[in-house]
Every structure is written in C-alpha cells, then in structure tokens.
Amino acid sequence: MIRRQAFKYELMPNGLHQRTLRRFGGACRFVFNKALALQQDNRAAGGKFIRYESMAKLLTGWRHSSETPWLADAPNHPLQHALKDLDRAYQNFFAGRADFPTFKKKGRGDSFRYPDAKQFKVEPGNARIFLPKLGWIRYRNSRDIAGTIKNITVSSKAGKWFVSIQTEREVAEPVPTAISAVGADVGIDRFVTLSDGSFVAPLDSFKKHQQRLAKYQRRMSRKVKFSHNWKKAKAKVTRVHRDIGNARADFIHKATTTISNNHALVAVEDLKIVNMTRSSKGTIETPGTNVRAKAGLNRAILDQGWGEFGRQLDYKLYWNGGFFMQVPAHYTSQTCPCCGHVDKANRKSQSAFLCTVCWYENNADVVGAINVLDRALAQLSQPSNEEGPDMARIACEVNGAVRPSAAGTHRSDMQEVLYAQ
Ligand SMILES: [Zn+2]
C-alpha cells in the first residue's frame, strides 16, 4: 500500500527571505479572498458557482492587471493552489463536511503550497531547499525524509516559518497486531475514555503554561501599547501560545499512537458534532467554580484538538492495518448499555451513570464509550456497509463468540468484546 507522509522542518530564512515569504503569503491570501468575494457577489447576483478552471483564467487577468501589478511577482503555482484551496473549501461546504468558507485574515498564519515537485529542490544533505523567486533557504534538518517528494507547503506560525514536505512511498501491507475493538468517548475532564474502562488523563501539564500565559498577559496590559517593553511582553505571550500548541500536538500524538497500537477498530462519536456540543455536556451539574474554570481551560486548549485526534487515529490505524469509525453521537451519554433505556435521569452526575430501570451502574464516560462501540458494531452489520465485512471480521476475531447482528449487540456479547482478553 502507498503511505503518504509529511515531514515538517523549521526554515531559517534571512531578512530578505522573510520579507519575500510574507509577500508571497499575502499574495496567496489576496487571491483566495478576491476569489471568495467574487463567488459571493456572483451568487448574490443569481449566478452559478464559478468552477476552478474559470477562476484560474481570471487569475491570469489579475496577474497582468495594472491594479495589482505585485501579483505577478509572486510564484504562479502557489497562487493557483490558493484557488484550489477555496474550491475544496466550497466542495466541503456543499457536501456538508464544513462550514461556509471564510476570508483569510492577515497575521493568522500564512501558508502556501508548491504543488509541483518540478518547481522546487530539496537537498537534505545540505539542509537547504530551493524555492522559485526565493532561492536557497536553509532548514533545521531534524529527521530524515522517506519516500518520493510530491509537494511542499510553506507556513508561518508565531513568527517562525516552516516547510512541510509531503512524500509517498510503497510500504508492505500492514498486518494488524492488535485485534480488539474499542469505543471512545472524548471529553473535557478526561481527554478520552475507552469502553474497556481505560482513559487518557486530563491535561494537567497545561496548567503551568496557563499560569505563564496569565503572567505575561498581565505584564503586557501594564505597558504602554506599542512601546519597546510592550513588544517584549507581547513576544513572551506569543511564545507561550507556541509552547501550548507544541504541548497539545505532543499530547495528541502520544494518545493516538498508544490507542492505535493497542486496538484494531476504534469507534468515536462524530467529532464535528462533539466540537459543537461538548461544552454544555461537559459542565452539567458539576458543582464548584474550580471545575468550571478547569473545564473552560481544557476546552479552550482542545477546541481544535478533537478533530486532530480523529484525523491522527484514522491514519495511524490505517497504517497499522486497523479501522477508524465515526458514529452518530445522539444520547450516547443517556442510554443504558445493559437494557437500552434512554433517560436523562440515568446520568446522575458528570461522572456517574445509574440506569433508572435496571440499575446498571458505571462511570458515565465509560458508558458513552460502550454505546459508541455498540453503534459501530450495529453499523458494520448492515449489508450496505462496504467496509463492513472487513471491519466486522476484526471485531469478530476478538473472540469467536461475537457476531454483530442487525438488531444490535447485546450486553453479554459486548462484555466479551470488551473484557475477554
Ligand atoms: Zn438499564
């Protein structure tokens, strides 16, 4: 099978490079925003969606226009790719996978892609990369590149520039070593809880970063705006944000690696919906302001984290020969996995579940995770599911007794899936 992988390095641009990179990033942002405005105006006037091919022709006009002569200074391929990005954003919106595309703002981190490997050169031995109209730029060669280079993306974050090198290579078809199927419930007090009862601890490591952030933000607020000391304090704040970002990335990578190495099938609630709803679920009936503040902090940190968690689980499981599934999230926290009774009152508190009918009792997050796995197994047993047979086989291999049926899985089967190992 073909493995696609990205290798990311920090660029070490000189002053001229940096100014040019900012200009190129600005040009790509300009093209993206201009095309988006055009789509919106066109739609308001009753016109049809402008396809990428037509938009690319308009771009040629903009590059030669006397109003925007500086566009011709930017490399053509990344500008075209900005239009492709917008096109993909629209397609995702049309398919219901994403919200409506929004305008890109200056200073929110620029990025642009060189889609054609003929346009650039990478010399890992000399730790340098050649980009059209920029020349050779050095990068921190922190790890080896594997595979054939397909394209590169240049991006900036918190004042630094990075290059992400995408590669492809043929690797042997993976043989899954893990055979268990597991459901996962993501949350605020616990990052993720699995249906086998294990969980990834809350994010205490972020506390010290949060305290540092508050300290430097206070320091910044006491300085005269735009003064030398204000700028120094602002740089500190930016740095803490970067540290928090790095800690989060590290945390999510470790969690997804552990889970994907230990399980062949992982089912999670639909993470897009989780992102929108989890705040209210996370704070119900939890006494004490401390908990609330902590939940608010963790939520802020994880806002983008759950989506990334799912994305990484998906590809890491795939690399290991396993499967990743997302299932509808409705009532997973209120349904009794034992008798199927759905009741808000089943949820005694943030952490306690007690069924009002059959008195089944468990940690509420574990109950959520069991219900997620239950739904996944039921989905797999539907004949319309193309990948179903393969994934159901893995679920069945957990032990011979498990046979997901269209009617759903019974508690006795569930227990065998979860605890038989
Ligand atoms: Zn019950």
PDB file of all heavy atoms in Angstrom, residues 17 24 48 70-71 86 101 119 129 164 169 185 224 228 257 261 274 304 310 335 345 352 394-395 412:
ATOM      1  N   HIS A  17      14.602  36.872   2.688  1.00  0.00           N
ATOM      2  CA  HIS A  17      13.701  35.716   2.561  1.00  0.00           C
ATOM      3  C   HIS A  17      12.393  35.974   3.301  1.00  0.00           C
ATOM      4  O   HIS A  17      11.308  35.733   2.779  1.00  0.00           O
ATOM      5  CB  HIS A  17      14.340  34.455   3.164  1.00  0.00           C
ATOM      6  CG  HIS A  17      15.433  33.874   2.323  1.00  0.00           C
ATOM      7  ND1 HIS A  17      16.495  33.199   2.882  1.00  0.00           N
ATOM      8  CD2 HIS A  17      15.631  33.860   0.990  1.00  0.00           C
ATOM      9  CE1 HIS A  17      17.302  32.788   1.908  1.00  0.00           C
ATOM     10  NE2 HIS A  17      16.810  33.188   0.760  1.00  0.00           N
ATOM     11  N   PHE A  24       4.693  36.717  -0.477  1.00  0.00           N
ATOM     12  CA  PHE A  24       4.054  35.605  -1.189  1.00  0.00           C
ATOM     13  C   PHE A  24       2.800  35.133  -0.439  1.00  0.00           C
ATOM     14  O   PHE A  24       1.755  34.887  -1.038  1.00  0.00           O
ATOM     15  CB  PHE A  24       5.018  34.421  -1.333  1.00  0.00           C
ATOM     16  CG  PHE A  24       6.132  34.665  -2.314  1.00  0.00           C
ATOM     17  CD1 PHE A  24       6.237  35.870  -3.004  1.00  0.00           C
ATOM     18  CD2 PHE A  24       7.074  33.677  -2.560  1.00  0.00           C
ATOM     19  CE1 PHE A  24       7.267  36.097  -3.900  1.00  0.00           C
ATOM     20  CE2 PHE A  24       8.104  33.891  -3.466  1.00  0.00           C
ATOM     21  CZ  PHE A  24       8.209  35.105  -4.133  1.00  0.00           C
ATOM     22  N   LYS A  48     -24.186  31.225 -11.148  1.00  0.00           N
ATOM     23  CA  LYS A  48     -23.831  29.871 -10.704  1.00  0.00           C
ATOM     24  C   LYS A  48     -22.438  29.874 -10.081  1.00  0.00           C
ATOM     25  O   LYS A  48     -21.642  30.780 -10.329  1.00  0.00           O
ATOM     26  CB  LYS A  48     -23.818  28.918 -11.904  1.00  0.00           C
ATOM     27  CG  LYS A  48     -25.166  28.272 -12.188  1.00  0.00           C
ATOM     28  CD  LYS A  48     -24.971  27.166 -13.227  1.00  0.00           C
ATOM     29  CE  LYS A  48     -26.279  26.480 -13.547  1.00  0.00           C
ATOM     30  NZ  LYS A  48     -26.160  25.587 -14.704  1.00  0.00           N
ATOM     31  N   TRP A  70       1.820  43.734  -8.340  1.00  0.00           N
ATOM     32  CA  TRP A  70       2.670  42.953  -7.438  1.00  0.00           C
ATOM     33  C   TRP A  70       2.313  41.469  -7.449  1.00  0.00           C
ATOM     34  O   TRP A  70       3.099  40.636  -7.011  1.00  0.00           O
ATOM     35  CB  TRP A  70       2.592  43.518  -6.021  1.00  0.00           C
ATOM     36  CG  TRP A  70       1.201  43.856  -5.586  1.00  0.00           C
ATOM     37  CD1 TRP A  70       0.558  45.047  -5.762  1.00  0.00           C
ATOM     38  CD2 TRP A  70       0.265  43.001  -4.944  1.00  0.00           C
ATOM     39  NE1 TRP A  70      -0.713  44.995  -5.277  1.00  0.00           N
ATOM     40  CE2 TRP A  70      -0.919  43.748  -4.756  1.00  0.00           C
ATOM     41  CE3 TRP A  70       0.312  41.690  -4.502  1.00  0.00           C
ATOM     42  CZ2 TRP A  70      -2.058  43.204  -4.159  1.00  0.00           C
ATOM     43  CZ3 TRP A  70      -0.817  41.163  -3.907  1.00  0.00           C
ATOM     44  CH2 TRP A  70      -1.984  41.909  -3.738  1.00  0.00           C
ATOM     45  N   LEU A  71       1.105  41.140  -7.958  1.00  0.00           N
ATOM     46  CA  LEU A  71       0.729  39.718  -8.020  1.00  0.00           C
ATOM     47  C   LEU A  71       1.646  38.946  -8.969  1.00  0.00           C
ATOM     48  O   LEU A  71       1.926  37.774  -8.759  1.00  0.00           O
ATOM     49  CB  LEU A  71      -0.722  39.570  -8.500  1.00  0.00           C
ATOM     50  CG  LEU A  71      -1.810  39.548  -7.440  1.00  0.00           C
ATOM     51  CD1 LEU A  71      -3.148  39.266  -8.098  1.00  0.00           C
ATOM     52  CD2 LEU A  71      -1.528  38.518  -6.358  1.00  0.00           C
ATOM     53  N   LEU A  86      -9.665  27.202  -2.070  1.00  0.00           N
ATOM     54  CA  LEU A  86     -11.002  27.775  -1.964  1.00  0.00           C
ATOM     55  C   LEU A  86     -12.028  26.817  -2.580  1.00  0.00           C
ATOM     56  O   LEU A  86     -13.101  26.583  -2.023  1.00  0.00           O
ATOM     57  CB  LEU A  86     -11.068  29.135  -2.671  1.00  0.00           C
ATOM     58  CG  LEU A  86     -12.456  29.789  -2.660  1.00  0.00           C
ATOM     59  CD1 LEU A  86     -12.888  30.131  -1.236  1.00  0.00           C
ATOM     60  CD2 LEU A  86     -12.489  31.041  -3.534  1.00  0.00           C
ATOM     61  N   PRO A 101     -16.921  28.801   3.562  1.00  0.00           N
ATOM     62  CA  PRO A 101     -15.553  29.354   3.584  1.00  0.00           C
ATOM     63  C   PRO A 101     -15.533  30.786   4.110  1.00  0.00           C
ATOM     64  O   PRO A 101     -16.457  31.554   3.832  1.00  0.00           O
ATOM     65  CB  PRO A 101     -15.123  29.324   2.117  1.00  0.00           C
ATOM     66  CG  PRO A 101     -16.106  28.511   1.384  1.00  0.00           C
ATOM     67  CD  PRO A 101     -17.329  28.362   2.228  1.00  0.00           C
ATOM     68  N   GLN A 119       9.003  22.423  -9.404  1.00  0.00           N
ATOM     69  CA  GLN A 119       9.158  23.841  -9.096  1.00  0.00           C
ATOM     70  C   GLN A 119      10.161  24.114  -7.976  1.00  0.00           C
ATOM     71  O   GLN A 119      10.498  25.263  -7.719  1.00  0.00           O
ATOM     72  CB  GLN A 119       7.800  24.435  -8.692  1.00  0.00           C
ATOM     73  CG  GLN A 119       6.746  24.358  -9.766  1.00  0.00           C
ATOM     74  CD  GLN A 119       7.035  25.326 -10.890  1.00  0.00           C
ATOM     75  OE1 GLN A 119       7.360  26.471 -10.646  1.00  0.00           O
ATOM     76  NE2 GLN A 119       6.919  24.860 -12.124  1.00  0.00           N
ATOM     77  N   ILE A 129      16.661  24.170   0.880  1.00  0.00           N
ATOM     78  CA  ILE A 129      15.576  23.972  -0.061  1.00  0.00           C
ATOM     79  C   ILE A 129      15.567  25.147  -1.032  1.00  0.00           C
ATOM     80  O   ILE A 129      15.816  26.289  -0.635  1.00  0.00           O
ATOM     81  CB  ILE A 129      14.236  23.833   0.703  1.00  0.00           C
ATOM     82  CG1 ILE A 129      13.091  23.514  -0.253  1.00  0.00           C
ATOM     83  CG2 ILE A 129      13.901  25.064   1.515  1.00  0.00           C
ATOM     84  CD1 ILE A 129      11.879  22.985   0.476  1.00  0.00           C
ATOM     85  N   SER A 164       6.668  22.006   5.077  1.00  0.00           N
ATOM     86  CA  SER A 164       6.145  20.663   5.248  1.00  0.00           C
ATOM     87  C   SER A 164       6.299  19.935   3.912  1.00  0.00           C
ATOM     88  O   SER A 164       5.754  20.370   2.905  1.00  0.00           O
ATOM     89  CB  SER A 164       4.679  20.745   5.668  1.00  0.00           C
ATOM     90  OG  SER A 164       4.170  19.456   5.871  1.00  0.00           O
ATOM     91  N   ARG A 169       5.378   6.724  -0.469  1.00  0.00           N
ATOM     92  CA  ARG A 169       6.240   5.563  -0.646  1.00  0.00           C
ATOM     93  C   ARG A 169       5.415   4.286  -0.512  1.00  0.00           C
ATOM     94  O   ARG A 169       4.374   4.277   0.138  1.00  0.00           O
ATOM     95  CB  ARG A 169       7.400   5.570   0.340  1.00  0.00           C
ATOM     96  CG  ARG A 169       7.033   5.420   1.798  1.00  0.00           C
ATOM     97  CD  ARG A 169       8.299   5.553   2.640  1.00  0.00           C
ATOM     98  NE  ARG A 169       8.118   5.228   4.027  1.00  0.00           N
ATOM     99  CZ  ARG A 169       7.614   6.041   4.944  1.00  0.00           C
ATOM    100  NH1 ARG A 169       7.163   7.233   4.599  1.00  0.00           N
ATOM    101  NH2 ARG A 169       7.526   5.670   6.203  1.00  0.00           N
ATOM    102  N   ASP A 185     -14.915   7.761  24.075  1.00  0.00           N
ATOM    103  CA  ASP A 185     -15.731   8.923  24.406  1.00  0.00           C
ATOM    104  C   ASP A 185     -14.775  10.070  24.721  1.00  0.00           C
ATOM    105  O   ASP A 185     -13.947   9.952  25.623  1.00  0.00           O
ATOM    106  CB  ASP A 185     -16.599   8.595  25.630  1.00  0.00           C
ATOM    107  CG  ASP A 185     -17.472   9.752  26.061  1.00  0.00           C
ATOM    108  OD1 ASP A 185     -16.984  10.631  26.803  1.00  0.00           O
ATOM    109  OD2 ASP A 185     -18.649   9.778  25.657  1.00  0.00           O
ATOM    110  N   VAL A 224       2.803  50.507  28.117  1.00  0.00           N
ATOM    111  CA  VAL A 224       2.252  51.432  27.118  1.00  0.00           C
ATOM    112  C   VAL A 224       2.231  50.711  25.774  1.00  0.00           C
ATOM    113  O   VAL A 224       3.240  50.143  25.344  1.00  0.00           O
ATOM    114  CB  VAL A 224       3.117  52.709  27.004  1.00  0.00           C
ATOM    115  CG1 VAL A 224       2.541  53.649  25.946  1.00  0.00           C
ATOM    116  CG2 VAL A 224       3.202  53.397  28.357  1.00  0.00           C
ATOM    117  N   HIS A 228       8.544  49.713  23.572  1.00  0.00           N
ATOM    118  CA  HIS A 228       9.543  48.654  23.491  1.00  0.00           C
ATOM    119  C   HIS A 228       9.219  47.514  24.457  1.00  0.00           C
ATOM    120  O   HIS A 228       9.255  46.342  24.099  1.00  0.00           O
ATOM    121  CB  HIS A 228      10.929  49.237  23.808  1.00  0.00           C
ATOM    122  CG  HIS A 228      12.014  48.212  23.767  1.00  0.00           C
ATOM    123  ND1 HIS A 228      12.358  47.550  22.601  1.00  0.00           N
ATOM    124  CD2 HIS A 228      12.797  47.711  24.743  1.00  0.00           C
ATOM    125  CE1 HIS A 228      13.317  46.690  22.864  1.00  0.00           C
ATOM    126  NE2 HIS A 228      13.609  46.762  24.161  1.00  0.00           N
ATOM    127  N   THR A 257      -1.103   7.391  19.189  1.00  0.00           N
ATOM    128  CA  THR A 257      -0.170   6.288  18.938  1.00  0.00           C
ATOM    129  C   THR A 257      -0.481   5.114  19.867  1.00  0.00           C
ATOM    130  O   THR A 257      -0.583   3.964  19.424  1.00  0.00           O
ATOM    131  CB  THR A 257       1.285   6.757  19.153  1.00  0.00           C
ATOM    132  OG1 THR A 257       1.561   7.795  18.225  1.00  0.00           O
ATOM    133  CG2 THR A 257       2.266   5.617  18.927  1.00  0.00           C
ATOM    134  N   ASN A 261      -1.994   1.544  18.487  1.00  0.00           N
ATOM    135  CA  ASN A 261      -1.148   0.348  18.607  1.00  0.00           C
ATOM    136  C   ASN A 261      -1.842  -0.776  19.363  1.00  0.00           C
ATOM    137  O   ASN A 261      -1.469  -1.938  19.227  1.00  0.00           O
ATOM    138  CB  ASN A 261       0.169   0.689  19.325  1.00  0.00           C
ATOM    139  CG  ASN A 261       1.143   1.396  18.406  1.00  0.00           C
ATOM    140  OD1 ASN A 261       0.984   1.352  17.178  1.00  0.00           O
ATOM    141  ND2 ASN A 261       2.123   2.061  18.974  1.00  0.00           N
ATOM    142  N   VAL A 274     -19.317  16.677  18.188  1.00  0.00           N
ATOM    143  CA  VAL A 274     -18.749  16.770  19.532  1.00  0.00           C
ATOM    144  C   VAL A 274     -18.211  18.170  19.776  1.00  0.00           C
ATOM    145  O   VAL A 274     -18.447  18.786  20.804  1.00  0.00           O
ATOM    146  CB  VAL A 274     -17.626  15.735  19.728  1.00  0.00           C
ATOM    147  CG1 VAL A 274     -16.836  16.030  20.990  1.00  0.00           C
ATOM    148  CG2 VAL A 274     -18.225  14.338  19.813  1.00  0.00           C
ATOM    149  N   GLN A 304      -9.536  22.756  18.982  1.00  0.00           N
ATOM    150  CA  GLN A 304      -9.189  22.175  17.689  1.00  0.00           C
ATOM    151  C   GLN A 304      -8.697  20.739  17.870  1.00  0.00           C
ATOM    152  O   GLN A 304      -8.484  20.032  16.915  1.00  0.00           O
ATOM    153  CB  GLN A 304      -8.102  23.002  17.005  1.00  0.00           C
ATOM    154  CG  GLN A 304      -8.448  24.466  16.855  1.00  0.00           C
ATOM    155  CD  GLN A 304      -9.681  24.671  16.000  1.00  0.00           C
ATOM    156  OE1 GLN A 304      -9.850  23.977  15.012  1.00  0.00           O
ATOM    157  NE2 GLN A 304     -10.547  25.592  16.393  1.00  0.00           N
ATOM    158  N   GLY A 310      -9.066  12.715  15.920  1.00  0.00           N
ATOM    159  CA  GLY A 310      -9.716  11.790  14.988  1.00  0.00           C
ATOM    160  C   GLY A 310      -8.901  11.592  13.727  1.00  0.00           C
ATOM    161  O   GLY A 310      -8.752  10.465  13.242  1.00  0.00           O
ATOM    162  N   THR A 335     -27.991   6.616  27.318  1.00  0.00           N
ATOM    163  CA  THR A 335     -28.539   5.296  27.009  1.00  0.00           C
ATOM    164  C   THR A 335     -27.906   4.229  27.896  1.00  0.00           C
ATOM    165  O   THR A 335     -26.688   4.189  28.050  1.00  0.00           O
ATOM    166  CB  THR A 335     -28.272   4.959  25.530  1.00  0.00           C
ATOM    167  OG1 THR A 335     -28.766   6.028  24.723  1.00  0.00           O
ATOM    168  CG2 THR A 335     -28.948   3.661  25.129  1.00  0.00           C
ATOM    169  N   ALA A 345     -32.252  11.090  33.263  1.00  0.00           N
ATOM    170  CA  ALA A 345     -32.059  10.802  34.692  1.00  0.00           C
ATOM    171  C   ALA A 345     -31.065   9.673  34.938  1.00  0.00           C
ATOM    172  O   ALA A 345     -30.606   9.482  36.060  1.00  0.00           O
ATOM    173  CB  ALA A 345     -33.401  10.463  35.340  1.00  0.00           C
ATOM    174  N   ALA A 352     -21.127   9.884  37.050  1.00  0.00           N
ATOM    175  CA  ALA A 352     -21.837   8.668  37.475  1.00  0.00           C
ATOM    176  C   ALA A 352     -23.033   8.365  36.591  1.00  0.00           C
ATOM    177  O   ALA A 352     -23.844   9.237  36.287  1.00  0.00           O
ATOM    178  CB  ALA A 352     -22.291   8.815  38.916  1.00  0.00           C
ATOM    179  N   ILE A 394     -12.696  -8.142  11.988  1.00  0.00           N
ATOM    180  CA  ILE A 394     -11.782  -7.791  13.074  1.00  0.00           C
ATOM    181  C   ILE A 394     -12.505  -7.823  14.410  1.00  0.00           C
ATOM    182  O   ILE A 394     -12.022  -8.402  15.379  1.00  0.00           O
ATOM    183  CB  ILE A 394     -11.169  -6.395  12.831  1.00  0.00           C
ATOM    184  CG1 ILE A 394     -10.155  -6.512  11.702  1.00  0.00           C
ATOM    185  CG2 ILE A 394     -10.523  -5.864  14.096  1.00  0.00           C
ATOM    186  CD1 ILE A 394      -9.406  -5.248  11.451  1.00  0.00           C
ATOM    187  N   ALA A 395     -13.686  -7.223  14.419  1.00  0.00           N
ATOM    188  CA  ALA A 395     -14.452  -7.211  15.663  1.00  0.00           C
ATOM    189  C   ALA A 395     -14.747  -8.635  16.110  1.00  0.00           C
ATOM    190  O   ALA A 395     -14.702  -8.950  17.292  1.00  0.00           O
ATOM    191  CB  ALA A 395     -15.746  -6.428  15.459  1.00  0.00           C
ATOM    192  N   SER A 412     -24.340  -9.091  26.801  1.00  0.00           N
ATOM    193  CA  SER A 412     -23.492 -10.257  27.049  1.00  0.00           C
ATOM    194  C   SER A 412     -22.390 -10.342  25.998  1.00  0.00           C
ATOM    195  O   SER A 412     -21.241 -10.639  26.308  1.00  0.00           O
ATOM    196  CB  SER A 412     -24.335 -11.532  27.028  1.00  0.00           C
ATOM    197  OG  SER A 412     -25.042 -11.580  25.804  1.00  0.00           O
TER     198      SER A 412
END
